[in-house]
Amino acid sequence: MTVGLFIPCYVDQFYPGAAIATLQLLEKLGVKVVYPQNQTCCGQPMANSGFEHLTGGCNDLFIKNFAEFDYVVAPSGSCALHLKQHLHDESQPEVAAKLRTNIYELTSFLTDVLKVEELPARFPHKVGVHQSCHGQRGLHLSQMSELVAPGFSKPGRLLNMVKDIEIIPLNRIDECCGFGGTFCVAEEAVSVKMGVDRVADHLQHGAEYITGVDMSCLMHMEGILNREGSKVKVLHIAEILNGE
Amino acid sequence: MESGTIKDHAELAADFNKDEARVDWHDETLWWIRQKRDKSVHQIPEWEALREMGSQIKNNVLANLDKYLLQFEANALANGVKIHWAADAKEHNQIVLSLLREQSLSRMVKSKSMLTEECGLNEYLEHNGIQVIDSDLGERIVQLAKEAPSHIVLPCIHKKKEEIGELFHQHLGTPKGNSDPQFLTDTARAHLREIFLTRKVALTGVNFAVAETGEIVVCTNEGNADMGANLADVHIASMGIEKIIPERRHLGVFLRLLTRSATGQPITTYSSHFKKPAEGKEMHIILVDNGRSEQLGREDFRNSLKCIRCGACMNTCPVYRRSGGHSYHSAIAGPIGSILAPNLDMKKYADLPFASTLCGSCTNVCPVKIDIHDQLYKWRQVIVKNGYAPETKKVAMKVMSWTLASPTAYHTAGKAARLLLKYAPFTVNNKLNLWYKHRDMPAPPEQSFGEWYKANRNKG
């Protein structure tokens, strides 16, 4: 099995640590991973702003880079969801369709494809888990508080395999952090207030770290934490799962 | 036109956020209602099946709306009800006015009806010399404050009890400084009792119209629709054409869905059936289109007409809770309002589908399973294609799509951005950067992942 590694553009540029951890974690689990170096972005920033018609270039590039792989794995629920819903190519629709099926967000790839049961990781800290909406409500990585349905959590299952980790409870277990792509600047006031409130819930419960499957939400919350002078750090879930 | 001077959702929301304590209070109040909803739906193990059934019944209604409307009309006529068809808001308002003029009356009592808010009925009637008194307590409060409802189920949820006390002091003569809810409610009851006893025309909304029987069902917690309609000589009921349900037994699904979703109650205190006029009295039903046929013709947005106006999507929406209903500058606020309003006026409401993070919570609480957040996404595409995106955004998106379609341009731009942040942070960390206003920028790393990979792993 060869996995094509898709690293979201902002992770590539600003959070290489999350990408390196993803790569190392997959390799540790015996997967052959290739990172196509001409990749850029999934196209979501344009699409969510109403400009899906301008994402053709991103789609073409994505298909060119990833068509050959058995699976594509991305350390992001949001980008994976966008590709699953909107990756299209009129000249080769079946290639695009196959890719839409074979794209996985990292944690669901670990639980559903690799069926990971144990991890050699240790993280002796209090950790708050942020449920990123696109991963949770879009890809169903975990049960949603609105529904009357049995609970489960793919990221939660993996974090429970980490030694000495303490997952803190939250008042609102799956409220949006307010990042929302271009929403974070287009609706700056509400976006910030949502982020401030989300961070406060984690702080109130004694989090030392906030983690999640999407670095974008974490970047937004980190911006708020740092501005508030907080010592609390954000870490992509791959960095915890790949820990010592 | 004058749209340049009208504030959009982001600006109105920013105004609302100037008082953070108030935002916290608004958020907590509505979150409490969301929690009440959660508690009550978890008491019903078959809740998700009930939602599915509600959704399917409504899908059937929308697919056969013409048939059901005619069936409803025929049965209502046979019951002795007078039926009026209104193509738009203007026609609806004219019909109401002509019914009042027929009776030579200049006063009317009205129970809650979001449709009349949508049609601007109160302003129209007042302009024509008719006095309208809203009898729903929340509606009466916003009416006294000369404001629009900020929520479809809880019209004055944005008002604190002290503000209501002051309004009652000014308008109903209560002692200054008294904001005891029980006292204020008693005052309103006495005030409205007088209105009910003296008004000869009462207008109500409609929650469900049963095609099979020609009857309408009106749900309230205050009994104010009943007081108005039963004491008046003329009962006018205004309904959007999508309010039809095929059979009476379907109420067993919708009455269970409606109030659990809205407030967490098992059922509304009053679910009143109106079938025919009492002896010597008149009953009129106005069936209003006002853009609904057009929405029915929009395949991607058709099922927004399944809405039963429970307001659950507002209570759960993290944006609504922190921006307030008035920031949506439309009769129906929140996520559902944001997918309904652009159908009525795409230019005026072009901002609303963007007033969301697309978190999807609205879709999950919707009792009739409207795919609200997917429709928000789709409206964004339609609005941009119709040319209602700001010019600056169009340019930015073109540059962005060009950059991201080219690996070389992307790598150059990424490196430039990191260098800029590192060596000239003042170019980014300033007030022109909306991110930076309340959030620090991420610390720029030495290498991108791509550069790291090239240096560490690229061994052919």
Side-chain angles (χ1 to χ4, degrees):
Chain A
M1 178 203 301
T2 308
V3 162
L5 180 62
F6 178 65
I7 299 299
C9 47
Y10 65 93
V11 174
D12 174 41
Q13 294 298 330
F14 292 108
Y15 296 96
I20 293 167
T22 303
L23 173 68
Q24 290 176 341
L25 178 62
L26 287 167
E27 288 176 340
K28 203 185 273 183
L29 294 163
V31 179
K32 189 183 167 209
V33 186
V34 175
Y35 172 74
Q37 296 187 52
N38 277 338
Q39 61 180 281
T40 58
C41 168
C42 64
Q44 184 175 202
M46 283 87 75
N48 279 6
S49 304
F51 293 79
E52 194 185 329
H53 61 284
L54 294 183
T55 59
C58 281
N59 281 344
D60 292 348
L61 193 60
F62 188 89
I63 289 171
K64 216 193 289 177
N65 280 316
F66 289 99
E68 63 178 291
F69 297 105
D70 303 316
Y71 293 99
V72 180
V73 174
S76 161
S78 191
C79 304
L81 177 68
H82 172 76
L83 290 161
K84 271 190 176 301
Q85 291 183 328
H86 302 291
L87 182 68
H88 286 289
D89 184 344
E90 277 174 29
S91 63
Q92 38 183 354
E94 66 297 335
V95 178
K98 188 175 153 247
L99 269 169
R100 288 199 299 273
T101 314
N102 294 346
I103 292 162
Y104 278 81
E105 172 280 331
L106 174 67
T107 62
S108 55
F109 183 75
L110 299 184
T111 57
D112 300 358
V113 179
L114 297 183
K115 304 198 188 299
V116 170
E117 295 293 342
E118 50 181 10
L119 284 167
R122 179 169 176 267
F123 197 76
H125 298 284
K126 289 184 169 186
V127 176
V129 180
H130 175 66
Q131 301 286 354
S132 292
C133 305
H134 288 178
Q136 189 203 21
R137 298 194 183 84
L139 295 173
H140 298 171
L141 296 183
S142 52
Q143 191 52 276
M144 302 154 266
S145 64
E146 300 90 0
L147 301 186
V148 179
F152 70 91
S153 168
K154 294 174 188 181
R157 244 183 81 190
L158 294 165
L159 287 170
N160 282 335
M161 297 173 198
V162 176
K163 244 192 182 161
D164 301 330
I165 194 168
E166 185 187 334
I167 306 292
I168 57 150
L170 293 170
N171 291 336
R172 301 187 190 180
I173 56 169
D174 54 7
E175 173 132 311
C176 177
C177 68
F179 171 68
T182 48
F183 180 89
C184 76
V185 285
E187 287 267 3
E188 190 265 347
V190 179
S191 171
V192 166
K193 179 60 179 150
M194 286 168 71
V196 165
D197 290 354
R198 200 78 309 276
V199 162
D201 198 353
H202 289 268
L203 296 180
Q204 191 194 325
H205 289 90
E208 296 169 65
Y209 290 88
I210 302 176
T211 193
V213 302
D214 263 297
M215 213 56 230
S216 51
C217 310
L218 296 174
M219 171 171 75
H220 168 65
M221 290 194 278
E222 179 185 59
I224 287 163
L225 285 166
N226 288 348
R227 180 61 56 91
E228 289 177 354
S230 169
K231 297 262 183 294
V232 172
K233 301 247 174 288
V234 301
L235 270 184
H236 190 271
I237 192 168
E239 296 173 89
I240 294 179
L241 301 179
N242 186 50
E244 284 308 299
Chain B
M1 296 216 314
E2 46 180 42
S3 64
T5 58
I6 294 172
K7 287 186 176 183
D8 67 8
H9 181 274
E11 293 168 294
L12 292 165
D15 289 346
F16 189 73
N17 272 270
K18 281 177 186 154
D19 184 351
E20 191 174 3
R22 193 177 189 93
V23 177
D24 288 336
W25 166 79
H26 192 262
D27 167 65
E28 291 287 347
T29 306
L30 288 153
W31 181 253
W32 178 67
I33 297 165
R34 154 78 204 269
Q35 286 178 304
K36 276 175 51 178
R37 172 259 174 213
D38 287 354
K39 219 175 176 177
S40 103
V41 304
H42 276 92
Q43 287 166 355
I44 301 186
E46 73 274 23
W47 177 253
E48 300 303 331
L50 203 61
R51 285 175 73 214
E52 181 59 30
M53 195 174 284
S55 168
Q56 290 191 16
I57 294 169
K58 282 284 184 178
N59 282 337
N60 173 281
V61 167
L62 295 177
N64 301 285
L65 191 55
D66 53 338
K67 195 185 89 192
Y68 287 128
L69 279 167
L70 293 175
Q71 187 191 359
F72 175 78
E73 180 188 37
N75 286 326
L77 286 171
N79 295 336
V81 176
K82 298 205 170 90
I83 296 288
H84 309 261
W85 296 88
D88 54 24
K90 197 174 153 201
E91 266 189 35
H92 166 263
N93 294 347
Q94 286 168 347
I95 291 166
V96 176
L97 181 63
S98 68
L99 290 171
L100 282 153
R101 293 243 160 106
E102 261 173 40
Q103 307 285 329
S104 308
L105 290 172
S106 61
R107 301 190 305 182
M108 182 178 87
V109 64
K110 176 164 85 70
S111 71
K112 197 133 120 315
S113 151
M114 287 316 297
L115 176 65
T116 60
E117 297 290 341
E118 177 187 318
C119 293
L121 178 68
N122 282 17
E123 301 78 65
Y124 174 84
L125 289 180
E126 274 156 29
H127 186 72
N128 283 283
I130 307 284
Q131 183 212 50
V132 184
I133 303 250
D134 281 307
S135 63
D136 172 90
L137 180 53
E139 289 254 308
R140 185 69 188 127
I141 290 165
V142 291
Q143 191 181 31
L144 290 175
K146 296 192 175 12
E147 289 177 13
S150 69
H151 187 292
I152 60 175
V153 173
L154 315 154
C156 70
I157 196 69
H158 61 289
K159 287 236 170 287
K160 296 193 176 192
K161 62 181 182 189
E162 292 76 17
E163 293 164 329
I164 296 166
E166 180 57 27
L167 270 175
F168 276 33
H169 168 65
Q170 285 172 20
H171 295 275
L172 303 177
T174 55
K176 195 168 176 61
N178 193 332
S179 58
D180 174 52
Q182 187 62 49
F183 171 73
L184 295 178
T185 309
D186 286 345
T187 306
R189 183 173 289 145
H191 159 65
L192 289 169
R193 186 68 41 118
E194 169 64 20
I195 303 296
F196 289 131
L197 288 169
T198 52
R199 298 307 185 264
K200 298 203 161 68
V201 176
L203 190 144
T204 70
V206 172
N207 290 88
F208 306 100
V210 185
E212 175 193 32
T213 59
E215 80 204 77
I216 57 165
V217 178
V218 183
C219 302
T220 74
N221 275 332
E222 296 166 25
N224 57 309
D226 308 77
M227 289 287 275
N230 290 320
L231 287 168
D233 297 331
V234 180
H235 174 194
I236 305 169
S238 294
M239 60 175 271
I241 53 173
E242 82 284 15
K243 291 286 169 205
I244 293 274
I245 59 169
E247 297 170 23
R248 192 185 251 173
R249 68 191 174 107
H250 294 144
L251 287 167
V253 174
F254 291 110
L255 291 177
R256 291 181 83 198
L257 286 170
L258 177 64
T259 325
R260 278 194 166 82
S261 299
T263 59
Q265 295 164 263
I267 194 167
T268 34
T269 314
Y270 300 88
S271 304
S272 305
H273 297 235
F274 296 93
K275 192 170 177 183
K276 54 183 174 188
E279 191 102 353
K281 295 190 176 186
E282 289 178 29
M283 182 172 159
H284 298 262
I285 297 175
I286 312 175
L287 292 149
V288 185
D289 187 320
N290 202 38
R292 285 160 178 75
S293 291
E294 192 172 356
Q295 187 85 324
L296 194 62
R298 298 181 194 269
E299 205 181 332
D300 284 341
F301 307 112
R302 173 179 302 159
N303 86 26
S304 61
L305 296 172
K306 291 196 290 186
C307 178
I308 58 172
R309 303 288 191 268
C310 70
C313 61
M314 302 178 183
N315 305 337
T316 203
C317 179
V319 176
Y320 174 90
R321 279 189 260 112
R322 291 177 184 81
S323 61
H326 291 150
S327 66
Y328 293 81
H329 59 91
S330 135
I332 299 181
I336 183 67
S338 301
I339 61 172
L340 291 173
N343 174 58
L344 293 173
D345 187 339
M346 209 184 293
K347 187 178 177 194
K348 187 175 173 192
Y349 300 118
D351 54 325
L352 295 187
F354 295 91
S356 162
T357 59
L358 305 180
C359 81
S361 187
C362 47
T363 300
N364 277 350
V365 295
C366 179
V368 288
K369 297 179 95 165
I370 301 170
D371 54 341
I372 303 176
H373 74 292
D374 287 335
Q375 291 192 37
L376 288 167
Y377 175 89
K378 287 172 182 165
W379 267 120
R380 293 179 184 188
Q381 315 305 323
V382 172
I383 283 162
V384 167
K385 279 204 179 132
N386 281 277
Y388 298 122
E391 283 305 318
T392 48
K393 195 167 160 189
K394 284 187 210 167
V395 174
M397 286 297 148
K398 275 194 185 137
V399 172
M400 193 190 244
S401 69
W402 177 82
T403 309
L404 293 173
S406 153
T408 315
Y410 163 75
H411 289 136
T412 311
K415 192 158 195 161
R418 276 179 286 126
L419 289 174
L420 210 60
L421 261 175
K422 188 163 173 153
Y423 296 109
F426 56 86
T427 57
V428 181
N429 294 342
N430 60 54
K431 63 182 175 188
L432 293 174
N433 174 0
L434 281 170
W435 175 281
Y436 185 72
K437 209 169 150 192
H438 294 104
R439 287 164 291 209
D440 282 2
M441 294 294 288
E446 291 292 331
Q447 281 180 316
S448 69
F449 175 71
E451 289 161 0
W452 176 91
Y453 190 85
K454 217 173 201 168
N456 293 276
R457 294 296 173 92
N458 195 24
K459 289 153 194 152

